[in-house]
Amino acid sequence: ELESKRLQDEKEKLMRGHLILRLEKRNSLKELQGEREEIEEAKRKAEAAKRQSLLQLEKKKGELDKDARELRNEKDSLEQNFMEKEKESLRKMKMLERYRRILDEEKKKIDLEMERVAETTSKRP
């Protein structure tokens, strides 16, 4: 009878231990599942942030490409205007040179005429 009670007590003790182990195992599994869910949620958030960053970078790249095109167009326009002004300036310089030559020729003619007039005036009595 004493032996039976001792065996019964040991059996209950083992059963309680087994029950405690099962509860601990279940709690551990729940904790692991919770951690796994947290990790998955963190991964989803990281992926969403990454996608958002990529979208922002693509948008910024588009804006920079547009700015670069506008700057190239403005540069081309400025170069074209410069070339046109340079051509006009060269044309005006050629015209001025032509007028200078004409004026020099006219001055020589006037000087020759004045010499001739001076000579004829000095020969008069």
Side-chain angles (χ1 to χ4, degrees):
E1 201 180 296
L2 198 57
E3 184 67 24
S4 174
K5 184 166 173 30
R6 192 179 62 76
L7 284 175
Q8 185 64 29
D9 286 344
E10 259 188 64
K11 183 179 177 185
E12 286 176 12
K13 197 172 165 183
L14 285 173
M15 292 290 264
R16 277 194 303 270
H18 181 65
L19 181 62
I20 289 170
L21 284 176
R22 281 182 42 208
L23 287 172
E24 285 177 354
K25 180 180 176 184
R26 187 172 61 188
N27 286 342
S28 293
L29 288 174
K30 283 183 182 178
E31 284 177 19
L32 285 175
Q33 183 62 30
E35 289 174 7
R36 187 176 300 128
E37 288 171 0
E38 287 176 16
I39 290 170
E40 290 299 318
E41 181 62 24
K43 281 183 184 177
R44 280 192 296 276
K45 286 181 180 179
E47 283 297 318
K50 180 181 171 185
R51 281 191 303 276
Q52 186 64 30
S53 292
L54 287 174
L55 287 174
Q56 288 174 344
L57 286 173
E58 284 295 321
K59 181 181 176 188
K60 190 67 175 172
K61 181 186 178 294
E63 291 170 358
L64 290 173
D65 287 345
K66 181 184 172 201
D67 290 347
R69 275 192 307 278
E70 289 174 358
L71 288 172
R72 276 193 299 275
N73 290 341
E74 187 175 341
K75 175 185 163 266
D76 291 345
S77 175
L78 288 171
E79 285 177 344
Q80 182 66 30
N81 288 342
F82 177 78
M83 295 296 283
E84 289 172 10
K85 294 217 185 289
E86 200 172 56
K87 284 179 187 176
E88 181 65 17
S89 182
L90 187 60
R91 185 186 70 76
K92 286 179 180 178
M93 283 175 51
K94 286 180 180 178
M95 202 165 43
L96 279 173
E97 188 58 37
R98 194 172 126 237
Y99 289 149
R100 251 190 228 111
R101 275 196 310 270
I102 292 170
L103 284 173
D104 285 346
E105 288 173 12
E106 288 299 315
K107 185 177 182 272
K108 284 179 187 174
K109 286 180 186 176
I110 291 171
D111 287 346
L112 284 174
E113 185 63 27
M114 284 179 69
E115 278 181 35
R116 190 183 62 75
V117 168
E119 282 178 16
T120 57
T121 344
S122 67
K123 289 182 181 179
R124 283 193 197 160

